[in-house]
Amino acid sequence: MGIVNVTPDSFSDGGMFEDAETAVKHGLRLLDEGADVLDVGGESTRPGSDPVGVEEELARVLPVIEGLRRGAPEALLSVDTRKAAVASEALAAGADVVNDIGAGTDPDMFDVVATAGAGMVLMHMQGEPKHMQADPRYDDVVAEVRGFLTDRLEMAVAAGIGRDRLCVDPGIGFGKNLEHNLALLRAIGSFRELGVPVLAGASRKRFIGELSGTDDPAGRLDGSVAAAVWCTSQGVEMVRVHDVGPTVRALRVVDAIARERP
Ligand code: HH2
């Protein structure tokens, strides 16, 4: 899953793809590099970020979804939003999947996804982006995140979203410190027991900087590729990344080794 952030303030690429034309070009390049899905987001949820209003978020993502749909009619497009109103219009404009970091916190979200027959990513987050990194706490982070995702999965299915349209994500960096992130990544393979595909997003995140000593998010490529390789080797079906080309090339090598074929 290649990331297309149409925001002025995303933690690693804020402001780089803010106008629709640049964002569409970037997305098409990520598809050329081997992305299977493009995730278009109009609200940064980095630690400390402020929420964005519905109108502003729509103004950012709709032209990009429309442009990508025109430029790549066959591509799978997801919209990264917590707002049912944004999801609804994005799906009408051609998105196929809602990537909801709130996992259905908006009371209308499951209905919107079910009615559209769309796919959905359910992600775990502790707290809200503004303060989530202040002092995240868990007794057992893996059990608690798994429990939360199990509940949300059941709620989504009860609301009419087919299990075959759902995917779960432990939400690396969303209300988690370094130890929490590492525990979740170590146990990531066990999330497959929930019976739906697992998505993980570690790309350029702060914990990679902490481990590899790189303050600049754009300089965290090697650590990000390492995390993607780890995740897929544990059975994770999809990784959400900024640097699609290098990740795809690395995963091709790992895949060939694992499958005993060139
Ligand atoms: N991470 C970010 C945003 N959306 N969605 C899922 N499912 N999983 C993730 O780990 C995830 C996500 C944060 O990364 P980014 O979009 O690059 O940053 P920002 O929120 O600053 O735009």
Side-chain angles (χ1 to χ4, degrees), residues 182-198:
L182 291 178
L184 286 167
L185 286 168
R186 206 170 293 124
I188 193 97
S190 73
F191 282 77
R192 300 181 74 209
E193 290 161 21
L194 272 60
V196 297
V198 179

Side-chain angles (χ1 to χ4, degrees), residues 5 10-11 44-45 80 99 123 169 174 201 205 240 242:
N5 279 328
S10 285
F11 77 94
S44 172
T45 48
D80 185 347
N99 172 25
M123 196 200 80
D169 180 339
F174 284 87
K205 284 188 178 167
R240 182 181 180 279
H242 300 86

Side-chain angles (χ1 to χ4, degrees), residues 44 107 133 230 261:
S44 172
Q133 290 306 106
W230 165 263
R261 60 150 180 75

Side-chain angles (χ1 to χ4, degrees), residues 155-176:
M155 286 167 69
V157 170
I161 306 172
R163 199 171 275 276
D164 58 345
R165 295 185 178 273
L166 289 159
C167 176
V168 290
D169 180 339
I172 300 300
F174 284 87
K176 284 122 190 157

Side-chain angles (χ1 to χ4, degrees), residues 125-204:
M125 167 167 62
Q126 185 182 83
E128 281 290 307
K130 185 86 185 164
H131 302 294
M132 67 188 177
Q133 290 306 106
D135 185 21
R137 284 174 194 231
Y138 301 83
D139 290 327
D140 179 339
V141 65
V142 175
E144 287 171 48
V145 171
R146 270 185 63 158
F148 171 87
L149 292 174
T150 304
D151 290 348
R152 291 301 165 125
L153 210 44
E154 292 320 313
M155 286 167 69
V157 170
I161 306 172
R163 199 171 275 276
D164 58 345
R165 295 185 178 273
L166 289 159
C167 176
V168 290
D169 180 339
I172 300 300
F174 284 87
K176 284 122 190 157
N177 63 25
L178 176 62
E179 282 70 30
H180 299 143
N181 288 324
L182 291 178
L184 286 167
L185 286 168
R186 206 170 293 124
I188 193 97
S190 73
F191 282 77
R192 300 181 74 209
E193 290 161 21
L194 272 60
V196 297
V198 179
L199 165 65
S203 183
R204 298 188 186 174

